């Protein structure tokens, strides 16, 4: 995977918002057959028993017990049984995964099924998700997001690991291609004074249209996104290199005084304190730093 594509996909994942619509275990009925032209939600199906068929984007698949399927929002979907005697039994959930107003899995090109290595672990995740879905606990929504993120992370990692699965890649659609080009431009020009006007020109948009478009796609304004990327790069340089703070500021396109103020505002630590904490011995006494 190219480094530029990796950084862009990490940006998408950094801004993704997860929501759960519903989760259950079901042994489907004898009349289980559906067709969705443009589903609004993503689906996870963890097949535990039986047989059936699923056609996604015109491609037919016959899932087997032990497979986990990711059926993305916006993709034409048909599904049904092979026989009434061998009905599917499956854990399933409908969930949202969006970057701004755009579905995550319309931006990433993923295989739509993987083989599950540890089926007991995955079953526990779905059971936990179902229990949280029904829980009146104050913190249940947070724990739901945590489990959903774990499931999506597991799916993507297994898709990369399994040799006969296609690689994860950026989706080739024109809309996502435009924002991908802008994110790549930002990543490769962080040491310069990037302006909204420059970014808008990359897409041949008027700045007044580009700004709401970018926020819709990424969930942040262009300036907020650039600031986040600059601070992320600064943290890496402070943690992993001996580059002086002055040169770190230059590497992220900021004057030293402004960089120091902005970094402390973002992290509650000065650049020097951050470097010292990141490299210091991990003891209780030395890991606590008081901002100056």
């Amino acid at each position: 995977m190219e480094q530029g594509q990796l950084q862009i996909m990490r940006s998408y994942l950094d801004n993704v918002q997860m929501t759960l619509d519903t989760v259950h275990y079901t042994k489907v009925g004898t009349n289980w057959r559906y067709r969705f032209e443009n589903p609004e939600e993503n689906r996870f199906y963890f097949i535990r028993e039986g047989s059936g068929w699923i056609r996604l984007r015109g491609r037919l698949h016959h899932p087997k017990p032990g497979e986990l399927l990711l059926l993305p929002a916006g993709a034409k979907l048909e599904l049904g049984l092979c026989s009434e005697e061998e009905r599917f039994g499956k854990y399933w959930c409908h969930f949202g995964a969006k970057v701004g107003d755009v579905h995550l899995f319309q931006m990433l090109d993923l295989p739509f099924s993987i083989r599950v290595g540890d089926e007991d672990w995955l079953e526990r995740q779905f059971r936990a998700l179902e229990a949280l879905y029904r829980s009146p606990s104050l913190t249940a929504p947070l724990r739901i997001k945590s489990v959903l993120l774990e499931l999506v992370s597991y799916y993507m990692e297994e898709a990369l690991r399994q040799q006969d699965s296609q690689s994860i890649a950026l989706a080739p659609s024109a809309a996502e291609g435009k924002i991908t080009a802008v994110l790549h431009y930002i990543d490769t020009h962080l040491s310069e004074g990037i302006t909204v006007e420059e970014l808008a020109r990359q897409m041949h948009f008027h700045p007044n249209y580009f700004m709401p478009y970018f926020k819709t796609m990424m969930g942040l304004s262009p300036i907020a996104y650039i600031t986040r990327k600059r601070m992320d790069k600064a943290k890496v340089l402070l943690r992993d290199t001996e580059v002086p703070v002055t040169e770190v500021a230059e590497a992220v396109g900021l004057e030293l005084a402004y960089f120091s103020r902005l970094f402390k505002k973002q992290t509650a630590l000065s650049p020097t304190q951050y470097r010292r904490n990141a490299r210091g011995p991990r003891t209780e006494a030395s890991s606590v730093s008081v901002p100056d």
Side-chain angles (χ1 to χ4, degrees):
M1 186 184 302
E2 294 181 2
Q3 188 64 26
Q5 283 205 349
L6 176 62
Q7 290 301 318
I8 291 165
M9 287 190 279
R10 283 174 61 92
S11 295
Y12 290 158
L13 297 176
D14 193 34
N15 289 285
V16 69
Q17 299 295 317
M18 308 289 292
T19 56
L20 178 66
D21 296 329
T22 188
V23 56
H24 298 286
Y25 180 87
T26 303
K27 188 161 186 177
V28 303
T30 56
N31 61 344
W32 189 71
R33 180 162 185 172
Y34 297 97
R35 177 174 179 164
F36 304 96
E37 290 294 330
N38 188 29
E40 284 297 313
E41 66 283 323
N42 307 287
R43 290 168 162 84
F44 267 136
Y45 285 178
F46 179 31
I47 310 300
R48 304 305 288 137
E49 59 179 312
S51 63
W53 58 269
I54 291 175
R55 182 177 284 109
L56 181 70
R57 299 191 182 103
R59 179 186 167 199
L60 183 64
H61 186 63
H62 292 85
K64 302 288 192 300
E67 284 189 56
L68 178 62
L69 279 59
L70 173 60
L71 309 173
K76 183 177 178 179
L77 174 66
E78 297 176 77
L79 36 82
L81 293 175
C82 293
S83 72
E84 294 183 2
E85 291 75 23
E86 293 291 328
R87 290 175 290 139
F88 267 147
K90 58 186 173 64
Y91 288 98
W92 58 278
C93 69
H94 295 177
F95 67 101
K98 286 189 172 184
V99 180
D101 290 339
V102 181
H103 295 292
L104 174 66
F105 303 119
Q106 292 178 349
M107 305 167 84
L108 301 180
D109 191 5
L110 289 161
F112 94 88
S113 71
I114 60 169
R115 300 183 308 278
V116 175
D118 189 343
E119 296 183 30
D120 290 340
W121 174 85
L122 189 57
E123 186 166 320
R124 289 196 297 272
Q125 298 304 304
F126 273 98
R127 286 180 176 177
L129 195 60
E130 185 171 10
L132 289 165
Y133 176 68
R134 301 178 184 281
S135 172
S137 167
L138 172 66
T139 59
L142 297 176
R143 294 187 179 276
I144 284 171
K145 292 179 190 295
S146 175
V147 177
L148 279 175
L149 288 168
E150 185 71 26
L151 289 174
V152 171
S153 298
Y154 172 80
Y155 192 95
M156 295 179 69
E157 289 163 1
E158 285 298 299
L160 286 170
R161 187 183 67 81
Q162 293 175 17
Q163 295 300 313
D164 58 350
S165 291
Q166 65 187 49
S167 305
I168 297 175
L170 293 171
S173 73
E176 281 72 60
K178 289 180 179 180
I179 196 67
T180 294
V182 169
L183 297 182
H184 179 70
Y185 182 89
I186 291 171
D187 281 341
T188 54
H189 290 77
L190 286 176
S191 62
E192 304 170 19
I194 304 171
T195 66
V196 171
E197 288 74 18
E198 286 176 293
L199 298 180
R201 280 197 294 272
Q202 297 298 312
M203 298 180 65
H204 307 289
F205 283 175
H206 189 281
N208 291 345
Y209 176 69
F210 169 76
M211 288 188 289
Y213 174 86
F214 187 96
K215 190 168 184 179
T216 294
M217 292 292 287
M218 299 304 299
L220 294 169
S221 72
I223 298 303
Y225 179 85
I226 293 167
T227 298
R228 173 185 286 184
K229 298 298 288 186
R230 282 175 165 155
M231 295 301 101
D232 288 346
K233 182 175 181 178
K235 290 174 185 177
V236 171
L237 291 172
L238 291 167
R239 184 182 67 239
D240 298 339
T241 76
E242 300 295 337
V243 173
V245 172
T246 302
E247 294 182 22
V248 173
E250 292 175 358
V252 297
L254 299 173
E255 295 182 358
L256 177 60
Y258 180 64
F259 166 69
S260 297
R261 290 198 303 273
L262 185 60
F263 190 91
K264 191 169 185 178
K265 181 179 179 181
Q266 296 285 326
T267 67
L269 297 171
S270 70
T272 302
Q273 287 175 316
Y274 180 88
R275 170 171 275 170
R276 185 168 60 243
N277 279 15
R279 296 181 172 189
R282 296 293 190 247
T283 63
E284 185 175 350
S286 63
S287 64
V288 178
S289 176
V290 179
D292 57 11

